[in-house]
Amino acid sequence: MTTAHPALRPEYERALEPFTAVPVSRALPWPRRLWQQGWLRKAVILALLALAWEIIARIQDNDLLLPTFLSTARAFADAIVSGELPGKALVSLSILLQGYAAGVALAFVLTTLAVSTRAGRDLLDTLTAMFNPLPAIALLPLALLWFGLGTKSLVFVLIHSVLWPLALNTYAGFRGVPETLRMAGRNYGLRGLRYVVLILVPAALPAILSGLKIGWAFAWRTLIAAELVFGASSGKGGLGWYIFQNRNELYTDRVFAGLATVILIGLAVEGLVFATLERVTVRRWGQQH
């Protein structure tokens, strides 16, 4: 008795149309595609804030207390054309970069010692517990006594404002590195600085970038506040000094123009420097969404 097998179906090939011959329909209409752009949404938010400012200022109707957005924009444009605001901004940024770079270098040294030795870990824990709660501007009187009225005093307080938050974030990122990566680095014979640079820093880069952004914000605020307190340094005043001078002369529109410059520089650094750095590193490597 033989077992019946089902009949085999004949093989055939189906010719597919070329992909380019099929019209591709767009999933979203162009207004929604345009709205997906982050820069457009942020520009709309800024425009709404400017409109609300203009309306409130016109209702207030007192330029001494709150100038309109349009008058502030005119003062801002005049200061840009005259070169006064760009010059003040360059003075502030040059001092800021000195203090920021020194704070980043010291934070890297402290965290490297902390992950390498027990004494370094105890040193970092003790110093951050002591100095991190201390406002940087509170050290300004001591800085003036030690370094005098000049750039050195500003750099000193900027280092303090950058060092501790960056060191804490970096150290927390180092401690969060998976043990498998640590073991892989040790198996390759990496020790000391090479172990930190090649294993810990890439793995902890999201936390390090967060610390860099926090340190930048702290340093920028501290610098403007310090310039407001004691004004010019080395015969040149920065944005804080520009705001302080115009406040004394009751040019409120110029005061707001100076504040707008501080905000615009912060937005530019956040959007151009840190966002680009995140895009080419942690997002490209899949460490951050």
Side-chain angles (χ1 to χ4, degrees):
M1 182 175 181
T2 59
T3 304
H5 296 282
L8 298 177
R9 290 182 296 177
E11 297 182 357
Y12 64 92
E13 294 183 0
R14 176 176 294 177
L16 300 177
E17 297 182 8
F19 178 74
T20 54
V22 180
V24 180
S25 59
R26 298 185 180 275
L28 295 175
W30 70 266
R32 293 191 63 183
R33 292 199 310 273
L34 189 61
W35 186 248
Q36 298 299 320
Q37 303 296 322
W39 63 267
L40 179 62
R41 298 193 300 271
K42 293 177 182 178
V44 170
I45 292 174
L46 293 177
L48 292 175
L49 290 175
L51 179 61
W53 178 0
E54 183 72 19
I55 293 174
I56 294 173
R58 290 184 179 275
I59 294 175
Q60 178 75 21
D61 196 21
N62 189 339
D63 288 340
L64 186 61
L65 296 180
L66 181 63
T68 63
F69 173 78
L70 293 178
S71 62
T72 302
R74 284 193 296 269
F76 178 81
D78 293 341
I80 292 292
V81 171
S82 66
E84 187 176 10
L85 263 183
K88 302 294 186 184
L90 285 177
V91 171
S92 293
L93 288 175
S94 64
I95 299 172
L96 177 69
L97 289 177
Q98 297 177 47
Y100 189 73
V104 169
L106 287 175
F108 183 75
V109 170
L110 278 178
T111 49
T112 301
L113 290 174
V115 297
S116 302
T117 63
R118 181 177 298 177
R121 181 168 61 250
D122 294 339
L123 176 65
L124 179 62
D125 290 340
T126 304
L127 292 180
T128 52
M130 290 171 57
F131 295 113
N132 190 43
L134 185 65
I137 199 67
L139 295 176
L140 187 57
L142 285 177
L144 293 176
L145 288 175
W146 292 343
F147 305 109
L149 186 64
T151 303
K152 293 181 180 180
S153 298
L154 291 176
V155 171
F156 177 77
V157 295
L158 289 178
I159 291 174
H160 175 82
S161 64
V162 174
L163 174 57
W164 310 117
L166 178 56
L168 284 174
N169 271 61
T170 304
Y171 185 57
F174 286 170
R175 295 184 64 182
V177 175
E179 188 62 29
T180 52
L181 288 178
R182 297 173 180 270
M183 293 174 62
R186 288 192 290 266
N187 288 338
Y188 276 102
L190 299 178
R191 296 292 185 272
L193 186 60
R194 294 182 66 238
Y195 172 75
V196 172
V197 173
L198 297 179
I199 299 296
L200 296 184
V201 170
L205 199 56
I208 295 174
L209 288 178
S210 296
L212 288 172
K213 289 195 289 187
I214 294 172
W216 152 259
F218 283 6
W220 191 224
R221 290 185 299 183
T222 299
L223 176 63
I224 300 302
E227 289 180 343
L228 282 168
V229 170
F230 71 90
S233 63
S234 302
K236 297 180 180 179
L239 285 173
W241 180 242
Y242 175 85
I243 295 170
F244 182 76
Q245 273 187 317
N246 286 287
R247 194 270 298 176
N248 288 339
E249 298 172 5
L250 298 181
Y251 292 129
T252 314
D253 53 350
R254 297 182 185 178
V255 172
F256 276 86
L259 294 174
T261 306
V262 174
I263 294 173
L264 290 175
I265 291 175
L267 289 175
V269 171
E270 177 70 26
L272 298 178
V273 178
F274 290 115
T276 303
L277 196 57
E278 287 180 349
R279 186 173 63 253
V280 300
T281 55
V282 294
R283 291 186 182 178
R284 186 176 182 181
W285 300 341
Q287 293 178 294
Q288 193 178 72
H289 298 291

